[in-house]
Amino acid sequence: MSNTRLFVARREHRLKQSDVAKKLNVSPQTYYRKEKGISDFTQREMIMLAKIFKCTLNELFWEEDNHAQ
């Protein structure tokens, strides 16, 4: 499953995958695989992404659409 919210956050911040990869200290290919859901982010990477995009981990990775209740 791809990380759609992560993709949207990255685009809203006008960052390329290679920009975020550099901030996480991973290769662009590794970041691509993680953003596409092929590989998993580590806990450290998830925390760093939340800081980069100024949001919570729930907002970025887990929180479901509140309108579906």
Side-chain angles (χ1 to χ4, degrees), residues 1 3-6 10 13-14 19-20 24-27 31-32 34 36-38 44 49-50 54 59 61-62 66-67:
M1 182 172 104
N3 292 303
T4 305
R5 283 175 263 173
L6 181 57
R10 181 174 58 77
H13 284 80
R14 298 184 179 176
D19 299 328
V20 180
L24 295 180
N25 199 31
V26 298
S27 72
Y31 180 80
Y32 167 84
K34 291 181 179 205
K36 291 294 182 188
I38 298 167
R44 180 190 69 82
L49 288 166
K54 298 176 176 71
E59 291 169 333
F61 293 102
W62 300 298
N66 290 332
H67 301 292

Side-chain angles (χ1 to χ4, degrees), residues 20-62:
V20 180
K22 186 177 279 190
K23 291 176 184 286
L24 295 180
N25 199 31
V26 298
S27 72
Q29 295 84 359
T30 297
Y31 180 80
Y32 167 84
R33 292 177 58 81
K34 291 181 179 205
E35 185 176 286
K36 291 294 182 188
I38 298 167
S39 299
D40 293 328
F41 287 100
T42 65
Q43 183 177 12
R44 180 190 69 82
E45 291 168 342
M46 290 168 50
I47 292 167
M48 290 178 69
L49 288 166
K51 288 179 181 179
I52 290 166
F53 299 124
K54 298 176 176 71
C55 63
T56 67
L57 290 171
N58 279 345
E59 291 169 333
L60 203 52
F61 293 102
W62 300 298

